[in-house]
Amino acid sequence: MNQPLADLDQEVKRLTQKLKTLKAEIAKVIVGQEETVDQLLITFLAGGHALLEGVPGLAKTLMIRSLSEAIALDFNRIQFTPDLMPSDIIGTEILEEDHTTGKKFFEFNKGPIFANIILADEINRTPPKTQAALLEAMQEFEVTYSGKTYKLERPFFILATQNPIEQSGTFPLPEAQQDRFLFYIKIGYPTEAEENQILKYTTGTQKNKINPVLTGAEILRLQELVREVPISDELISYVNTLIRATRPETSKNEFVKEWVSWGAGPRAGQALILTAKARALLQGRLAVTLKDLEHCAYPVLRHRVIVNFKAEAENITSDKVTSELLESIFPSK
């Protein structure tokens, strides 16, 4: 039986109000970075994973830990290093002995991937074999070991970080694996006022406590509600046009043919619509607008539009390509 419209409206209001409280709790320890926090929440609400790039010292770990505390979910941090093995992530079998019968048997010892929120710190510092250990967990929300499948508890969210400096000895994520991330978020330095506030509050004795605001069940319900947010056929058509325009072989834009070697696939269109729906719900709206699509286009396409050598030589980034496409395709506001 469908939920009555009045009850649904009340539920949406209650949960979106809790999202505002959630952001306020995170703001107790994270100064500024509002857009980054919003993008993390959008990714989480859309049921995906995020790739976060930023220089050391920008509170990436603190941000994701604060998110887990405010939702009262299990959190694990995995520090990716060159010698990290897949078993260090998903777990391994250990030999046990039944003390009653003396019979020996293998028992699966679960790894740190078995949590609700995972911080994959500096994911590009481990070889592709170990990076690939995350793929099944990210896509299927399960782990397979020795032919047996283990389900991961939902909600499940991976935030992988990359350091844009010191690239010597790193292993860049392959394009196919990057595509598994819903958002590619870039985090910048704080403003002067924000940095002054950071210096003031992090060098004293005051320590703010984050209170749990949402439960895991409420996050799962919000993820269901995201998919129920309506989007017009006209906006879906804009999304389709935008994604197809990123591909040199189908684009009508000469700058795409000149700068882009590989365009975005169909998963990019799905990601753009889902994250736009999540952004609308995060702001308490039950309809997707053009602004939502514009806002989400950059982190959705940043790792899915691959520029060529000529573009790199001219300092043309995928964000620049996205900006040009939005101006040429989206109607004037």
Side-chain angles (χ1 to χ4, degrees), residues 82-288:
D83 60 346
L84 194 73
M85 297 296 289
S87 58
D88 295 326
I89 298 174
I90 64 176
T92 187
E93 285 185 334
I94 56 176
L95 188 62
E96 295 280 0
E97 182 178 349
D98 189 323
H99 296 293
T100 305
T101 63
K103 184 179 180 181
K104 294 182 179 180
F105 59 94
F106 283 100
E107 183 172 336
F108 181 66
N109 188 27
K110 293 180 178 180
I113 196 73
F114 287 86
N116 297 109
I117 297 180
I118 306 294
L119 174 62
D121 211 4
E122 295 195 286
I123 191 173
N124 59 333
R125 297 203 178 275
T126 200
K129 178 182 178 180
T130 306
Q131 293 172 356
L134 293 175
L135 284 177
E136 184 183 13
M138 292 172 67
Q139 193 67 24
E140 310 296 336
F141 299 99
E142 62 187 26
V143 166
T144 302
Y145 190 91
S146 293
K148 187 174 180 181
T149 299
Y150 302 87
K151 294 288 184 183
L152 294 168
E153 187 180 348
R154 306 286 292 271
F156 180 71
F157 175 52
I158 290 179
L159 174 69
T161 68
Q162 286 190 153
N163 187 343
I165 58 177
E166 300 175 18
Q167 294 304 304
S168 177
T170 60
F171 304 87
L173 288 172
E175 282 75 11
Q177 190 164 346
Q178 287 190 47
D179 196 35
R180 306 280 176 152
F181 290 98
L182 205 63
F183 263 7
Y184 181 1
I185 304 167
K186 287 196 173 183
I187 179 172
Y189 288 110
T191 64
E192 184 178 354
E194 289 169 350
E195 192 158 5
N196 190 67
Q197 195 174 350
I198 290 169
L199 295 174
K200 179 179 178 181
Y201 288 111
T202 58
T203 56
T205 57
Q206 180 182 350
K207 189 174 181 180
N208 292 325
K209 185 180 185 325
I210 294 179
N211 301 307
V213 175
L214 282 165
T215 64
E218 286 174 325
I219 285 291
L220 289 175
R221 179 55 182 150
L222 280 164
Q223 290 178 349
E224 290 176 357
L225 289 173
V226 163
R227 290 183 172 268
E228 295 179 23
V229 174
I231 179 172
S232 68
D233 290 342
E234 184 182 21
L235 290 182
I236 291 177
S237 179
Y238 282 136
V239 170
N240 190 34
T241 302
L242 174 65
I243 301 305
R244 292 184 63 80
T246 65
R247 305 166 192 163
E249 59 271 21
T250 57
S251 182
K252 297 177 182 177
N253 303 85
E254 286 302 319
F255 62 85
V256 172
K257 299 178 187 294
E258 183 182 359
W259 294 336
V260 178
S261 57
W262 293 101
R267 190 180 279 139
Q270 296 169 333
L272 183 51
I273 290 173
L274 271 178
T275 53
K277 287 183 174 188
R279 182 176 188 267
L281 192 66
L282 184 63
Q283 295 190 348
R285 291 181 284 105
L286 282 176
V288 175

